Amino acid sequence: MNCSRNCESCPFASGAAPASRCITVDVAGAVPDSSILDFSASDVISFVHRGYSIRFLNLSGSDWHIGRKIIATNPDLVLNAVDSTDLENSLRLTARLIDMDSSVVMALTRYEELLATGHSLDYQTLGGLFGFPVTVLEKSGEENLSRLLSLIVDSFESRQTKHVHVPYGKDVDEAIDTITKEISASPQLECFHDRYLAVRLLEDPQYIYPNIEGALNAARIAEVAVSSAKSLEKELGEAPAVLIRKARHGFIHGALQETLVHSDD
């Protein structure tokens, strides 16, 4: 269901205190049913906080299609739920959100399980590296829910964005820039972030091509993307999708090396 931005008539905020302003939040990543955001009964839940109706839409299970889902729903913010017991895998989705230049708040789930191993995460520093705030998604409690909602409101009101790019290496980044120039010349593609679309054209062109067909220069964009991909594979000996996957892994691994505190440290 798409949000009409009419909070007064929103069925998901019925029975709550009146709110004149609405914040829509797409939740990307798996959220445990036992958390303060419990989607077990519905994929949409709403709260009223500080004069806002805050509507959460659960996109769990659609990681590969996350770009299309977010573009279709056009949220104000994305809440990226990250499993603290499986950080490297969970942060692959985070890297994609960074490519999309989305307004993100990261929420660490199952964090108490990480602490039980004797490890912890300097998540404030991690947020600084990624360019958005990070918090812990607690299991329950009004105070914990209020803290999360306040962070959502603060992020929405501040609109402060630290533009971070996943570094894909000199040759890949140059190819991304070349494709981005063609994309930016097309007003029909304004709903996409140029860099994200360029990365996806190198990573999985058959999947993303349908999204550029409406552009007047679609043929030129496709031509440049194919040419760039062939050049990268010839020069570096690996397909662009492999190069991008390895670079994301290196970016995530480096961030965790700086922020994951081991029990024997």
Side-chain angles (χ1 to χ4, degrees):
M1 175 180 177
N2 290 329
C3 180
S4 67
R5 309 276 173 168
N6 185 355
C7 298
E8 292 182 0
S9 64
C10 179
F12 301 105
S14 60
S20 60
R21 297 167 292 179
C22 186
I23 303 174
T24 57
V25 183
D26 280 0
V27 181
V31 178
D33 291 344
S34 59
S35 76
I36 52 178
L37 294 181
D38 186 353
F39 292 104
S40 58
S42 172
D43 281 338
V44 182
I45 54 177
S46 289
F47 305 92
V48 171
H49 186 74
R50 283 169 48 182
Y52 289 94
S53 174
I54 305 173
R55 174 182 176 271
F56 293 90
L57 172 63
N58 184 20
L59 300 184
S60 176
S62 57
D63 287 4
W64 186 249
H65 307 286
I66 196 67
R68 286 182 179 176
K69 292 283 188 179
I70 291 173
I71 289 165
T73 55
N74 190 28
D76 295 304
L77 292 168
V78 176
L79 183 68
N80 178 206
V82 172
D83 186 344
S84 300
T85 68
D86 191 20
L87 287 167
E88 288 213 10
N89 284 328
S90 295
L91 289 172
R92 291 176 185 174
L93 175 57
T94 307
R96 281 199 182 174
L97 295 174
I98 291 173
D99 280 337
M100 292 186 70
D101 203 28
S102 300
S103 297
V104 175
V105 171
M106 182 189 290
L108 297 169
T109 67
R110 304 175 67 187
Y111 190 66
E112 71 284 352
E113 295 179 41
L114 176 67
L115 294 177
T117 68
H119 297 70
S120 63
L121 187 67
D122 181 357
Y123 53 83
Q124 299 298 335
T125 297
L126 185 69
L129 293 173
F130 288 166
F132 41 72
V134 182
T135 189
V136 173
L137 190 64
E138 306 284 358
K139 283 188 173 181
S140 61
E142 289 295 324
E143 184 178 337
N144 295 327
L145 176 60
S146 178
R147 187 182 304 115
L148 173 64
L149 297 178
S150 287
L151 183 57
I152 294 290
V153 172
D154 289 344
S155 297
F156 175 76
E157 290 182 339
S158 70
R159 301 291 187 176
Q160 293 180 352
T161 304
K162 177 183 176 183
H163 295 284
V164 174
H165 286 165
V166 176
Y168 288 111
K170 180 177 181 295
D171 294 310
V172 177
D173 277 334
E174 286 179 355
I176 291 170
D177 289 341
T178 299
I179 300 169
T180 296
K181 289 178 182 177
E182 300 296 332
I183 295 169
S184 63
S186 174
Q188 293 83 15
L189 299 177
E190 288 179 351
C191 60
F192 292 92
H193 186 264
D194 294 348
R195 181 177 172 85
Y196 167 75
L197 193 54
V199 171
R200 295 294 277 140
L201 281 167
L202 288 173
E203 183 182 25
D204 191 358
Q206 295 306 315
Y207 176 82
I208 206 69
Y209 274 157
N211 295 99
I212 70 169
E213 289 178 338
L216 295 179
N217 62 337
R220 174 60 181 167
I221 294 171
E223 177 187 350
V224 171
V226 170
S227 174
S228 297
K230 288 180 178 178
S231 295
L232 286 172
E233 187 161 5
K234 181 178 180 180
E235 292 174 16
L236 302 178
E238 290 183 303
V242 175
L243 297 169
I244 288 170
R245 184 172 66 248
K246 287 182 175 180
R248 282 195 187 125
H249 176 77
F251 173 69
I252 293 166
H253 185 72
L256 289 178
Q257 276 191 320
E258 289 190 44
T259 57
L260 187 61
V261 181
H262 299 276
S263 54
D264 55 354
D265 287 353

